[in-house]
Amino acid sequence: MSGTIRFAPSPTGFLHEGHLLSALYVWAAAKKWDLKIHLRIEDHDQGRARKEYIDSIYEDLEWLGFKYDSQSVQSNHFDLFQKVLDKLSEKGLVYPCTCSRKQLLTENPISETGEVIYQGKCLGELKNDQPHSLRIVIPDKVIDWHDERLGDFRENPKKQCGDFPIRNRDGFWTYQFAVCIDDLVQGITHIVRGEDIRNSTARQIALSGIISEVCTGDASLQIPTYKRPLYLHHPLIVDPNGKKLSKREHAHSLRQEKEAGISAEQLLGRVLYKAKITPTPSPLPLEAAIGQIVRTL
Ligand code: GLU
Ligand code: ZN
């Protein structure tokens, strides 16, 4: 088999051990399935992305020895995002939502995972003159999809979250919209990422299908026909209380570790150990660390 996989960190903080584990899974999948690797800097949220973090992603990956075949930075092609939005708007598939955060939380049901299930209050209201996000009209339809590790899922995005934003109230593109366009135009055939984003998969399958259908007629956009990628959501490193590591909490950044004198091999060994892939935290060269994960795929 051949194709392309991506590693897609958001430059909203420094990379930490959770990112390192994700990278190891991506590089392992590339090895197992003979894939090209694309590094995509996901700076769609211009309110939180910082140049300093972008630079550090390149530096940390280089220090650890991760090599990739191509790379891109999302903000370099925001004009394409706008053109896709225009196409969706022409078809009446997008509408402004002026609901405040508080309204969203109090006027809609909340899912088991704590998400707002938007009931479509602003559909048909066209209140463009007030601060608003833009939501995509999602069909009420079950998506059957398969995860290489977790098995089969049947999920209906309309029931999971309702029509969701593709641009937020601050005017920034959302993760869901950016990731769908980029995975399409970059010819991504394999998506390997943490299981904390698993919930996004059905909605991305739905949105990618819509984008592709609406845009393939316009050759200038170069959006191909949607072919669903293979999905694999990997387990996360959890702290001793069973909670996932996150940069907002106390996860140490890779550069802090490096500055404290830890070698790349020590860090790789430690991450595999924390992820319960190896029985001891012994230092490991990158190729061996990747090999450890390949065995689990
Ligand atoms: N940018 C996302 C993150 O850093 C990952 C997106 C994805 O792999 O789909 O959490
Ligand atoms: Zn609304």
Coordinates of all heavy atoms in Angstrom, one line a residue, residues 169-235:
R169 N -16.5 33.0 16.3 CA -16.9 34.3 16.5 C -15.8 35.4 16.3 O -16.1 36.5 16.0 CB -17.5 34.5 17.9 CG -18.9 34.1 18.0 CD -19.3 34.0 19.5 NE -19.7 35.2 20.2 CZ -20.9 35.7 20.1 NH1 -21.9 35.0 19.5 NH2 -21.3 36.8 20.8
D170 N -14.6 34.9 16.5 CA -13.5 35.9 16.3 C -13.0 35.9 14.8 O -12.1 36.6 14.5 CB -12.3 35.4 17.1 CG -12.6 35.5 18.6 OD1 -13.3 36.4 19.0 OD2 -12.2 34.5 19.3
G171 N -13.7 35.2 14.0 CA -13.4 35.2 12.6 C -12.3 34.2 12.2 O -11.8 34.2 11.1
F172 N -11.9 33.3 13.1 CA -10.9 32.3 12.8 C -11.5 31.0 12.3 O -12.6 30.6 12.8 CB -10.0 32.1 14.0 CG -9.4 33.3 14.6 CD1 -9.4 33.6 15.9 CD2 -8.7 34.2 13.7 CE1 -8.8 34.7 16.4 CE2 -8.1 35.3 14.1 CZ -8.1 35.6 15.5
W173 N -10.8 30.3 11.4 CA -11.3 29.0 10.9 C -11.2 28.0 12.0 O -10.3 28.0 12.8 CB -10.4 28.6 9.7 CG -10.4 29.6 8.6 CD1 -9.3 30.3 8.2 CD2 -11.5 30.0 7.8 NE1 -9.7 31.2 7.2 CE2 -11.0 30.9 6.9 CE3 -12.8 29.6 7.6 CZ2 -11.8 31.5 5.9 CZ3 -13.6 30.2 6.7 CH2 -13.1 31.1 5.8
T174 N -12.2 27.1 12.1 CA -12.2 26.1 13.1 C -11.3 24.9 12.7 O -11.1 24.7 11.5 CB -13.6 25.6 13.4 OG1 -14.1 24.9 12.3 CG2 -14.6 26.7 13.8
Y175 N -11.0 24.2 13.7 CA -10.2 22.9 13.5 C -10.9 22.0 12.5 O -10.3 21.5 11.5 CB -10.0 22.2 14.8 CG -9.7 20.8 14.7 CD1 -8.6 20.3 14.0 CD2 -10.5 19.8 15.3 CE1 -8.3 19.0 13.9 CE2 -10.2 18.5 15.2 CZ -9.1 18.1 14.5 OH -8.8 16.7 14.4
Q176 N -12.2 21.8 12.7 CA -13.0 20.8 11.8 C -12.9 21.2 10.4 O -12.7 20.4 9.5 CB -14.5 20.8 12.2 CG -14.7 20.4 13.7 CD -14.2 19.0 14.1 OE1 -13.6 18.3 13.3 NE2 -14.4 18.7 15.4
F177 N -13.1 22.5 10.1 CA -13.1 23.0 8.7 C -11.7 22.9 8.1 O -11.5 22.4 7.0 CB -13.6 24.4 8.7 CG -13.9 25.0 7.3 CD1 -14.7 24.4 6.4 CD2 -13.2 26.2 6.9 CE1 -15.0 24.9 5.2 CE2 -13.5 26.7 5.7 CZ -14.4 26.1 4.8
A178 N -10.7 23.4 8.9 CA -9.3 23.4 8.4 C -8.8 22.0 8.1 O -8.2 21.8 7.0 CB -8.4 24.1 9.4
V179 N -9.1 21.1 9.0 CA -8.5 19.8 8.9 C -9.2 19.1 7.7 O -8.5 18.3 6.9 CB -8.7 19.0 10.2 CG1 -10.1 18.4 10.3 CG2 -7.7 18.0 10.4
C180 N -10.4 19.3 7.4 CA -11.1 18.6 6.3 C -10.5 19.1 5.0 O -10.2 18.3 4.1 CB -12.6 18.9 6.3 SG -13.4 17.9 7.6
I181 N -10.4 20.4 4.8 CA -9.9 20.9 3.6 C -8.4 20.4 3.4 O -8.1 19.9 2.3 CB -9.9 22.5 3.6 CG1 -11.3 23.0 3.6 CG2 -9.2 23.0 2.3 CD1 -11.5 24.5 3.7
D182 N -7.6 20.5 4.4 CA -6.2 20.2 4.2 C -6.1 18.7 3.9 O -5.3 18.3 3.1 CB -5.4 20.6 5.4 CG -5.0 22.1 5.3 OD1 -5.3 22.7 4.2 OD2 -4.4 22.6 6.2
D183 N -6.8 17.8 4.7 CA -6.7 16.4 4.4 C -7.1 16.1 3.0 O -6.5 15.2 2.3 CB -7.5 15.6 5.4 CG -6.9 15.5 6.8 OD1 -5.6 15.8 6.9 OD2 -7.6 15.3 7.8
L184 N -8.1 16.8 2.5 CA -8.5 16.6 1.1 C -7.4 17.0 0.1 O -7.0 16.3 -0.7 CB -9.8 17.4 0.8 CG -11.1 16.7 1.1 CD1 -12.2 17.8 1.1 CD2 -11.5 15.7 0.1
V185 N -7.0 18.3 0.2 CA -6.1 18.8 -0.8 C -4.7 18.2 -0.7 O -4.0 18.2 -1.7 CB -6.0 20.4 -0.9 CG1 -7.4 21.0 -1.2 CG2 -5.5 21.0 0.4
Q186 N -4.3 17.8 0.5 CA -3.0 17.2 0.6 C -3.0 15.7 0.4 O -2.0 15.0 0.6 CB -2.5 17.5 2.0 CG -2.2 19.0 2.1 CD -2.0 19.6 3.6 OE1 -2.1 18.8 4.5 NE2 -1.7 20.8 3.7
G187 N -4.1 15.2 -0.1 CA -4.2 13.7 -0.4 C -3.9 12.8 0.7 O -3.2 11.8 0.5
I188 N -4.4 13.1 1.9 CA -4.1 12.3 3.1 C -4.9 11.0 3.0 O -6.1 11.0 2.9 CB -4.4 13.1 4.4 CG1 -3.6 14.4 4.4 CG2 -4.2 12.2 5.6 CD1 -2.1 14.2 4.4
T189 N -4.2 9.9 3.1 CA -4.9 8.6 3.0 C -5.0 7.9 4.3 O -5.8 7.0 4.5 CB -4.1 7.7 2.0 OG1 -2.7 7.6 2.5 CG2 -4.1 8.2 0.6
H190 N -4.2 8.3 5.3 CA -4.1 7.7 6.6 C -4.1 8.8 7.7 O -3.3 9.7 7.6 CB -2.9 6.8 6.8 CG -2.9 5.6 5.9 ND1 -2.9 5.7 4.5 CD2 -2.9 4.3 6.2 CE1 -2.9 4.4 4.0 NE2 -2.9 3.6 5.0
I191 N -5.0 8.6 8.7 CA -5.1 9.6 9.8 C -4.9 8.8 11.1 O -5.7 7.9 11.4 CB -6.4 10.3 9.8 CG1 -6.5 11.2 8.5 CG2 -6.6 11.2 11.0 CD1 -7.8 12.0 8.4
V192 N -3.7 9.1 11.7 CA -3.4 8.5 13.0 C -3.2 9.6 14.0 O -2.5 10.6 13.8 CB -2.1 7.7 12.8 CG1 -1.6 7.2 14.2 CG2 -2.3 6.5 11.9
R193 N -4.0 9.6 15.0 CA -4.0 10.7 16.0 C -4.6 10.2 17.3 O -5.1 9.0 17.4 CB -4.9 11.8 15.5 CG -6.3 11.4 15.2 CD -7.0 12.6 14.5 NE -8.4 12.2 14.2 CZ -9.2 12.8 13.3 NH1 -8.8 13.9 12.7 NH2 -10.4 12.4 13.1
G194 N -4.5 11.0 18.4 CA -4.9 10.6 19.7 C -6.4 10.3 19.8 O -7.2 10.9 19.1
E195 N -6.7 9.4 20.7 CA -8.2 9.0 20.8 C -9.0 10.1 21.4 O -10.2 10.1 21.4 CB -8.4 7.7 21.5 CG -7.9 7.6 22.9 CD -8.1 6.1 23.5 OE1 -8.2 5.2 22.7 OE2 -8.1 6.0 24.7
D196 N -8.3 11.2 21.9 CA -9.1 12.3 22.4 C -9.8 13.0 21.3 O -10.8 13.8 21.5 CB -8.2 13.3 23.2 CG -7.0 13.7 22.4 OD1 -6.5 13.0 21.5 OD2 -6.5 14.8 22.6
I197 N -9.4 12.8 20.0 CA -10.1 13.5 18.9 C -11.0 12.6 18.2 O -11.6 12.9 17.2 CB -9.1 14.1 17.9 CG1 -7.8 14.5 18.5 CG2 -9.7 15.3 17.2 CD1 -6.8 15.2 17.6
R198 N -11.2 11.4 18.7 CA -12.0 10.4 18.0 C -13.4 10.9 17.7 O -14.0 10.6 16.6 CB -12.1 9.1 18.9 CG -12.4 7.9 18.1 CD -13.2 6.9 19.0 NE -14.6 7.4 19.2 CZ -15.3 7.1 20.2 NH1 -14.8 6.5 21.2 NH2 -16.5 7.6 20.3
N199 N -14.0 11.7 18.6 CA -15.3 12.2 18.5 C -15.5 13.1 17.2 O -16.6 13.4 16.8 CB -15.6 13.1 19.7 CG -16.6 12.5 20.6 OD1 -17.2 11.5 20.2 ND2 -16.7 13.0 21.8
S200 N -14.4 13.6 16.7 CA -14.4 14.5 15.6 C -14.6 13.7 14.3 O -14.9 14.3 13.2 CB -13.2 15.3 15.5 OG -13.1 16.3 16.5
T201 N -14.3 12.4 14.3 CA -14.2 11.7 13.1 C -15.5 11.7 12.2 O -15.4 12.0 11.0 CB -13.6 10.3 13.3 OG1 -12.4 10.4 14.0 CG2 -13.4 9.5 12.0
A202 N -16.6 11.3 12.8 CA -17.8 11.3 12.0 C -18.1 12.6 11.4 O -18.5 12.7 10.2 CB -19.0 10.8 12.9
R203 N -17.9 13.7 12.2 CA -18.2 15.0 11.6 C -17.3 15.4 10.5 O -17.6 16.1 9.6 CB -18.4 16.1 12.7 CG -17.3 16.3 13.7 CD -17.7 17.0 14.9 NE -18.1 16.1 16.0 CZ -18.2 16.4 17.3 NH1 -18.0 17.6 17.7 NH2 -18.6 15.5 18.1
Q204 N -16.0 15.0 10.6 CA -15.1 15.3 9.6 C -15.4 14.5 8.3 O -15.2 14.9 7.2 CB -13.6 15.0 10.0 CG -13.2 16.1 11.0 CD -11.8 15.8 11.7 OE1 -11.1 14.9 11.3 NE2 -11.5 16.6 12.7
I205 N -15.9 13.2 8.5 CA -16.3 12.4 7.3 C -17.4 13.1 6.6 O -17.5 13.3 5.4 CB -16.6 11.0 7.7 CG1 -15.4 10.2 8.2 CG2 -17.3 10.2 6.6 CD1 -15.6 8.9 8.8
A206 N -18.4 13.6 7.4 CA -19.6 14.3 6.9 C -19.2 15.6 6.1 O -19.5 15.8 5.0 CB -20.6 14.6 8.0
L207 N -18.4 16.4 6.8 CA -18.0 17.7 6.2 C -17.1 17.5 5.0 O -17.2 18.2 4.0 CB -17.3 18.5 7.3 CG -16.8 19.9 6.9 CD1 -18.0 20.7 6.3 CD2 -16.2 20.7 8.1
S208 N -16.2 16.5 5.0 CA -15.3 16.3 3.9 C -16.1 16.0 2.7 O -15.8 16.4 1.5 CB -14.3 15.2 4.2 OG -13.5 15.5 5.3
G209 N -17.1 15.1 2.9 CA -18.0 14.7 1.8 C -18.7 15.9 1.2 O -18.8 16.1 -0.1
I210 N -19.2 16.8 2.0 CA -19.9 18.0 1.6 C -19.0 18.9 0.8 O -19.3 19.4 -0.3 CB -20.6 18.7 2.8 CG1 -21.6 17.9 3.4 CG2 -21.1 20.1 2.3 CD1 -22.1 18.4 4.8
I211 N -17.8 19.2 1.4 CA -16.8 20.1 0.7 C -16.5 19.5 -0.6 O -16.5 20.3 -1.6 CB -15.6 20.2 1.6 CG1 -15.9 21.0 2.9 CG2 -14.5 21.0 0.8 CD1 -14.8 21.1 3.9
S212 N -16.2 18.3 -0.7 CA -15.7 17.7 -1.9 C -16.9 17.8 -3.0 O -16.6 18.2 -4.1 CB -15.3 16.2 -1.7 OG -15.1 15.6 -2.9
E213 N -18.1 17.5 -2.6 CA -19.2 17.5 -3.5 C -19.4 18.9 -4.1 O -19.7 19.0 -5.2 CB -20.4 17.0 -2.7 CG -21.5 16.4 -3.6 CD -22.7 16.0 -2.7 OE1 -22.4 15.2 -1.8 OE2 -23.8 16.5 -2.9
V214 N -19.3 19.9 -3.2 CA -19.6 21.2 -3.6 C -18.5 21.9 -4.4 O -18.7 22.7 -5.2 CB -19.9 22.1 -2.3 CG1 -20.0 23.5 -2.6 CG2 -21.2 21.6 -1.7
C215 N -17.3 21.4 -4.2 CA -16.1 22.1 -4.8 C -15.5 21.4 -6.0 O -14.7 22.0 -6.7 CB -15.0 22.3 -3.7 SG -15.5 23.4 -2.4
T216 N -15.8 20.1 -6.2 CA -15.0 19.4 -7.3 C -15.4 20.0 -8.6 O -14.6 19.9 -9.5 CB -15.3 17.9 -7.3 OG1 -16.7 17.7 -6.9 CG2 -14.4 17.1 -6.3
G217 N -16.6 20.6 -8.8 CA -17.0 21.2 -10.0 C -16.1 22.4 -10.4 O -16.0 22.7 -11.6
D218 N -15.4 23.0 -9.5 CA -14.6 24.2 -9.7 C -13.1 23.8 -9.8 O -12.5 23.6 -8.7 CB -14.8 25.2 -8.6 CG -14.1 26.5 -8.9 OD1 -13.1 26.5 -9.7 OD2 -14.5 27.6 -8.4
A219 N -12.6 23.6 -11.0 CA -11.3 23.0 -11.1 C -10.2 23.9 -10.5 O -9.2 23.4 -10.0 CB -11.0 22.8 -12.6
S220 N -10.5 25.2 -10.4 CA -9.5 26.1 -9.8 C -9.2 25.8 -8.4 O -8.1 26.2 -7.8 CB -9.9 27.6 -10.0 OG -11.0 27.9 -9.1
L221 N -10.1 25.2 -7.7 CA -9.9 24.9 -6.3 C -9.1 23.7 -6.0 O -8.5 23.5 -4.9 CB -11.3 24.8 -5.5 CG -12.2 26.0 -5.5 CD1 -13.5 25.7 -4.8 CD2 -11.5 27.1 -4.9
Q222 N -9.0 22.8 -7.0 CA -8.2 21.6 -6.9 C -8.6 20.7 -5.7 O -7.7 20.2 -5.0 CB -6.7 21.9 -6.9 CG -6.3 22.6 -8.2 CD -4.9 22.5 -8.5 OE1 -4.0 22.5 -7.6 NE2 -4.5 22.6 -9.7
I223 N -9.9 20.6 -5.4 CA -10.3 19.8 -4.3 C -10.7 18.4 -5.0 O -11.6 18.4 -5.8 CB -11.5 20.4 -3.6 CG1 -11.0 21.7 -3.0 CG2 -12.1 19.4 -2.5 CD1 -11.2 22.1 -1.6
P224 N -10.1 17.3 -4.6 CA -10.4 16.1 -5.2 C -11.7 15.4 -4.7 O -12.3 15.9 -3.7 CB -9.2 15.2 -4.9 CG -8.7 15.8 -3.6 CD -9.1 17.2 -3.6
T225 N -12.2 14.4 -5.4 CA -13.3 13.6 -4.9 C -12.9 13.0 -3.6 O -11.8 12.5 -3.4 CB -13.6 12.5 -5.9 OG1 -13.8 13.2 -7.2 CG2 -14.9 11.8 -5.5
Y226 N -13.8 13.0 -2.6 CA -13.5 12.5 -1.3 C -13.3 11.0 -1.3 O -14.2 10.3 -1.8 CB -14.5 12.9 -0.3 CG -14.3 12.4 1.1 CD1 -13.1 12.6 1.8 CD2 -15.3 11.8 1.8 CE1 -12.9 12.2 3.1 CE2 -15.1 11.4 3.1 CZ -13.9 11.6 3.7 OH -13.7 11.1 5.0
K227 N -12.2 10.5 -0.8 CA -12.0 9.1 -0.5 C -11.7 9.0 0.9 O -10.7 9.6 1.4 CB -10.9 8.5 -1.4 CG -10.9 7.1 -1.5 CD -10.0 6.5 -2.7 CE -9.8 5.1 -2.5 NZ -9.0 4.7 -1.3
R228 N -12.5 8.2 1.7 CA -12.3 8.2 3.1 C -10.9 7.6 3.5 O -10.6 6.6 3.0 CB -13.4 7.4 3.7 CG -13.6 7.7 5.2 CD -14.6 6.8 5.8 NE -16.0 7.1 5.4 CZ -17.0 6.5 6.0 NH1 -16.9 5.6 6.9 NH2 -18.3 6.8 5.6
P229 N -10.2 8.3 4.3 CA -8.9 7.8 4.8 C -9.1 6.6 5.8 O -10.1 6.4 6.3 CB -8.2 9.0 5.4 CG -9.2 10.0 5.7 CD -10.5 9.7 4.9
L230 N -8.0 5.9 6.0 CA -8.0 4.9 7.0 C -7.8 5.7 8.4 O -7.0 6.6 8.4 CB -6.8 4.0 6.8 CG -6.5 2.9 7.9 CD1 -6.0 1.7 7.2 CD2 -5.4 3.5 8.8
Y231 N -8.5 5.3 9.4 CA -8.4 6.0 10.7 C -7.8 5.0 11.8 O -8.1 3.9 11.8 CB -9.7 6.4 11.2 CG -10.2 7.7 10.5 CD1 -11.2 7.6 9.5 CD2 -9.8 8.9 10.9 CE1 -11.6 8.7 8.8 CE2 -10.3 10.1 10.2 CZ -11.2 9.9 9.2 OH -11.6 11.1 8.6
L232 N -6.9 5.6 12.6 CA -6.4 4.9 13.8 C -6.3 5.9 14.9 O -5.5 6.9 14.7 CB -5.1 4.1 13.5 CG -4.6 3.2 14.6 CD1 -3.8 2.1 14.0 CD2 -3.8 3.9 15.7
H233 N -7.0 5.7 16.0 CA -6.8 6.6 17.1 C -6.1 5.9 18.2 O -6.5 4.8 18.7 CB -8.2 7.1 17.6 CG -8.9 8.0 16.6 ND1 -9.6 7.5 15.5 CD2 -8.9 9.3 16.4 CE1 -10.1 8.5 14.8 NE2 -9.7 9.6 15.3
H234 N -4.9 6.5 18.6 CA -4.1 5.8 19.5 C -4.4 6.2 21.0 O -4.9 7.2 21.3 CB -2.6 6.1 19.1 CG -2.2 7.5 19.3 ND1 -1.9 8.1 20.6 CD2 -1.9 8.5 18.4 CE1 -1.6 9.3 20.4 NE2 -1.6 9.6 19.1
P235 N -3.9 5.3 21.9 CA -4.2 5.6 23.3 C -3.3 6.7 23.8 O -2.3 7.0 23.1 CB -3.7 4.3 24.0 CG -3.0 3.5 23.0 CD -3.3 4.0 21.6

